[in-house]
């Protein structure tokens, strides 16, 4: 019985370590979506779609990140409030939304193409950090579980 509880404790701590890495998964999901969606945005701009139409076509994870960006269409401010993203990543999202808010301007397609490279570079960094964090989180969780088990025995 004692070993069963010890195994359960180790698994529980390992799962907790995995859960701690959730912000890295959110970052990865957001920038994966942003990267994939950028081509659709460029097509929408070429078709003359307006800001609201472009935002409404975003997948759910991007709609959450860009929540409040519609203020830009009326000349207001937009601040990305997603706490899972780093300040640099929130800044990228804010610049992207501001660029979206300037629909119809000359050269916007070229700006989005250049921005694509910045998003791609950020996504590569996020992928590396996510892999590292997932492995480390689980290892620390399992180690903590084993330590607790040994302390209790």
């Amino acid at each position: 019985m004692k070993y069963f509880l010890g195994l359960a404790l180790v698994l529980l701590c390992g799962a907790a370590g995995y859960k701690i890495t959730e912000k890295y998964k959110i970052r990865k999901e957001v920038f994966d979506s942003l990267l994939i969606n950028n081509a659709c945005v460029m097509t929408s701009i070429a078709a003359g779609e307006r800001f609201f139409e472009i935002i409404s076509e975003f997948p759910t994870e991007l709609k959450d990140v860009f929540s409040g960006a519609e203020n830009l269409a009326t000349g207001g401010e937009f601040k990305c409030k997603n706490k899972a993203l780093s300040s640099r990543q929130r800044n990228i999202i804010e610049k992207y939304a501001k660029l979206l808010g300037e629909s119809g301007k000359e050269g916007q397609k070229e700006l989005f193409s250049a921005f694509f490279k910045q998003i791609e570079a950020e996504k590569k960094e996020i992928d590396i950090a996510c892999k590292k964090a997932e492995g480390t989180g689980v290892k620390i969780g399992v180690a903590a579980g084993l330590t607790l088990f040994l302390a209790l025995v």
Side-chain angles (χ1 to χ4, degrees):
M1 181 69 173
K2 167 169 53 171
Y3 295 110
F4 176 73
L5 290 175
L7 179 65
L9 183 63
V10 169
L11 290 175
L12 183 67
C13 287
Y18 185 75
K19 179 74 174 154
I20 290 171
T21 64
E22 188 171 1
K23 73 177 181 180
Y24 292 98
K25 291 179 217 154
I26 291 171
R27 290 175 182 177
K28 183 176 176 6
E29 187 175 272
V30 165
F31 276 84
D32 280 345
S33 250
L34 193 58
L35 197 61
I36 291 168
N37 213 48
N38 195 54
C40 297
V41 167
M42 289 188 351
T43 305
S44 297
I45 289 169
E49 288 188 28
R50 300 176 75 187
F51 182 73
F52 295 113
E53 295 166 339
I54 294 171
I55 294 273
S56 69
E57 294 171 4
F58 279 0
T60 305
E61 61 273 3
L62 285 182
K63 282 183 185 173
D64 294 342
V65 171
F66 283 95
S67 177
E70 56 276 353
N71 293 338
L72 290 170
T74 59
E77 287 283 320
F78 166 64
K79 289 285 183 197
C80 179
K81 295 179 179 107
N82 191 319
K83 298 297 180 195
L85 300 176
S86 70
S87 60
R88 185 178 78 228
Q89 293 160 351
R90 285 194 298 269
N91 194 16
I92 290 172
I93 297 293
E94 290 164 8
K95 285 179 185 176
Y96 192 84
K98 188 173 181 181
L99 192 58
L100 267 179
E102 297 174 354
S103 299
K105 293 201 175 176
E106 290 292 320
Q108 193 176 22
K109 198 168 185 179
E110 290 79 24
L111 289 172
F112 272 101
S113 296
F115 211 80
F116 178 80
K117 292 175 184 164
Q118 185 179 3
I119 294 168
E120 203 171 39
E122 188 66 29
K123 185 196 169 317
K124 286 178 185 176
E125 286 181 32
I126 289 170
D127 286 343
I128 292 167
C130 188
K131 283 182 185 178
K132 192 183 295 185
E134 281 181 351
T136 304
V138 171
K139 288 175 187 172
I140 289 173
V142 169
L146 284 171
T147 303
L148 283 173
F149 174 67
L150 293 175
L152 294 174
V153 173

